[in-house]
Amino acid sequence: MLEGGFPAGSLITIAGRPGTGKTIFGSQFLYNGVTEHNQNGMYVSMLEGRKAYMRNMGRLGYDFETLERKGKFIFLEMPTMGPEALPAIWEEIVRNVEKHNIVRLVIDSYTAMAQAFEKQGDLRVFTHTLLGRIVGATGCTTLMIAEKALTETQIGYGVEEFIADGVIHFFLVPVAGDARIRYIEVTKMRGTNHQMGPIPIEIGRNGIEVRHPHIRGTI
């Protein structure tokens, strides 16, 4: 779908409603990075605690606790605070990226962090400056999860799409009866001739799998 994957050192926004598979997608990106490519990963959570995260990911076969003991994975639980506390949070993220040689990073969620700002202009300046430090200075490939309400046409505050090198939307579409079908759509990916249009996916024991007659496999 992406001519081989995300461009190294890029910032990718993962957008969708709750329950569409964003957290699993980000976790699969980190787990496969360690187990298949020996690339250290870090999950920064402003919503879910470590215990719940490890339990939920373990049910999918992602043994992050073992990777954590080996020093290959970091779960960084960060509280959601006011804008005056956010610089310290970002400094802690950057410190861990550099200390543990993190190559793949997931931030969950940008939406929770952005709610601390009253003015969108302040949010935009802060995001450009701090994400520039993480993505630009460290070269860390970063997935930034953003919540999208059902009635919204744009992602969150709009900044998430503007600053990102790539954007992937997650959808949960009702069909006959109570059934639902999950889709992903890559709407932006700089430097690639990416697949266009919505692609059906399923969430199973191996995580997210693409269901398409010409594209099939795990993320």
Side-chain angles (χ1 to χ4, degrees):
M1 293 177 66
L2 302 175
E3 291 189 321
F6 300 132
S10 58
L11 172 64
I12 312 297
T13 292
I14 307 298
R17 295 172 56 200
T20 51
K22 303 185 302 299
T23 297
I24 295 175
F25 182 92
S27 300
Q28 192 166 340
F29 169 71
L30 296 180
Y31 193 81
N32 290 346
V34 175
T35 58
E36 297 181 12
H37 304 286
N38 195 33
Q39 295 179 342
N40 292 358
M42 182 167 71
Y43 197 98
V44 178
S45 177
M46 299 179 183
L47 300 173
E48 187 176 27
R50 179 188 177 281
K51 184 177 180 180
Y53 177 83
M54 293 297 184
R55 181 183 66 247
N56 294 334
M57 292 304 107
R59 296 184 63 183
L60 292 171
Y62 299 153
D63 186 5
F64 278 113
E65 290 183 310
T66 295
L67 300 185
E68 190 177 51
R69 287 192 295 270
K70 293 179 179 179
K72 305 298 293 182
F73 172 76
I74 302 295
F75 184 88
L76 190 60
E77 188 175 347
M78 305 298 289
T80 302
M81 301 179 180
E84 69 283 349
L86 287 174
I89 290 177
W90 284 103
E91 288 295 334
E92 182 66 9
I93 294 174
V94 172
R95 187 185 71 81
N96 277 275
V97 167
E98 295 173 344
K99 178 181 178 181
H100 299 285
N101 190 29
I102 299 299
V103 179
R104 299 187 181 204
L105 171 68
V106 174
I107 298 175
D108 186 7
S109 76
Y110 178 84
T111 306
M113 181 195 72
Q115 290 172 350
F117 289 88
E118 296 181 358
K119 297 180 180 179
Q120 187 174 7
D122 294 340
L123 172 63
R124 187 182 295 268
V125 171
F126 180 81
T127 304
H128 271 287
T129 302
L130 274 301
L131 283 183
R133 280 200 61 191
I134 293 177
V135 182
T138 68
C140 188
T141 304
T142 303
L143 304 191
M144 186 171 65
I145 294 177
E147 301 295 339
K148 182 179 179 182
L150 180 61
T151 56
E152 291 179 346
T153 56
Q154 73 172 19
I155 302 171
Y157 298 83
V159 181
E160 300 92 319
E161 283 186 283
F162 178 76
I163 65 172
D165 299 302
V167 178
I168 302 178
H169 292 263
F170 280 66
F171 303 97
L172 188 61
V173 180
V175 289
D178 295 329
R180 299 287 188 274
I181 297 179
R182 288 183 169 87
Y183 291 91
I184 58 173
E185 183 175 11
V186 181
T187 58
K188 176 183 179 182
M189 196 63 60
R190 291 174 181 151
T192 72
N193 181 22
H194 62 82
Q195 176 79 22
M196 300 293 290
I199 303 294
I201 61 172
E202 290 183 2
I203 299 177
R205 283 292 302 171
N206 295 319
I208 293 177
E209 295 187 358
V210 175
R211 300 297 184 186
H212 189 278
H214 304 298
I215 306 172
R216 188 178 179 88
T218 58
I219 300 299

